[in-house]
Amino acid sequence: MKAPTFLSFWGFLCVSLILTEIKLASANSEGDALYTLRRSLYDPNNVLQSWDPTLVNPCTWFHVTCNQDNRVTRVDLGNSNLSGHLVPELGNLEHLQYLELYKNHIQGTIPPELGNLKNLISLDLYNNNISGTIPPSLGKLKNLTFLRLNDNQLTGPIPRQLADVKSLKVLDVSNNDLCGTIPTAGLFEHIPLNNFENNPRLEGPELLGLASYETNCS
């Protein structure tokens, strides 16, 4: 009778070790993603000083919040005097709900990989120097409620895919250089027009069939 008990104990121990390794690997993967972000940013005020890649997981880092499973759910770096650019690895933070990087000096483009953040509720990148287009992949974020991209240097049309995000309550793309027409489908029906203002090449609201989607985008 002792042998089966002994074997059962070792089986339980092996399963526990495997689950622990899986959790650690996930945490390390998220830590790697955030450390890649840190390396891409200039941080004159040392707000990222605690982001130490030698730690087991990033849940002890300042400005990072985790859930009970030690998975990253928030990154709060608004108004931190950061410059540099965003990185595609942010798309690996699959449990992330809030990405707050507003009021910095971040340049470059919005990585399309942010469309992989299926749990994202809030994406706040306003008041930066971000350029390029708004990725259509953001239309895959079915839990997204707040999308604030205002006061940047974004170009191109507003992705029609955003009309499919039923959870979206706040969208602000004012003070950019967007072009084309303002959508009227879905959530766009309820967004104030001043959330689109100060985009000199943006026309609208669009009249379906009467205005080209990419008007003034050439």
Side-chain angles (χ1 to χ4, degrees), residues 118-190:
K118 60 183 179 181
N119 292 299
L120 197 65
I121 294 172
S122 178
L123 177 59
D124 281 326
L125 302 177
Y126 63 89
N127 278 9
N128 278 286
N129 299 310
I130 298 172
S131 58
T133 60
I134 302 172
S137 60
L138 298 185
K140 298 189 298 180
L141 301 177
K142 301 309 180 183
N143 291 306
L144 191 64
T145 306
F146 306 98
L147 177 60
R148 287 175 277 235
L149 306 175
N150 50 291
D151 295 276
N152 279 288
Q153 300 174 19
L154 294 167
T155 57
I158 299 171
R160 268 35 186 181
Q161 290 84 347
L162 291 176
D164 298 326
V165 184
K166 306 303 181 184
S167 60
L168 197 57
K169 302 299 182 186
V170 175
L171 170 67
D172 194 341
V173 295
S174 59
N175 298 299
N176 281 287
D177 191 25
L178 299 174
C179 60
T181 53
I182 299 174
T184 55
L187 69 105
F188 288 98
E189 182 180 354
H190 307 289

Side-chain angles (χ1 to χ4, degrees), residues 23-45:
K23 284 188 175 182
L24 289 175
S26 298
N28 285 335
S29 173
E30 294 183 334
D32 290 343
L34 290 176
Y35 189 65
T36 301
L37 175 64
R38 177 188 174 179
R39 290 172 55 193
S40 75
L41 297 175
Y42 175 60
D43 176 24
N45 297 340

Side-chain angles (χ1 to χ4, degrees), residues 26-27 30 65-75 90-99 116-121 143:
S26 298
E30 294 183 334
T65 303
C66 294
N67 60 18
Q68 60 185 6
D69 295 321
N70 288 330
R71 307 302 297 271
V72 175
T73 57
R74 292 187 67 112
V75 176
L90 287 172
N92 296 334
L93 304 174
E94 60 181 30
H95 291 266
L96 191 67
Q97 297 178 351
Y98 296 87
L99 182 57
N116 297 331
L117 301 176
K118 60 183 179 181
N119 292 299
L120 197 65
I121 294 172
N143 291 306

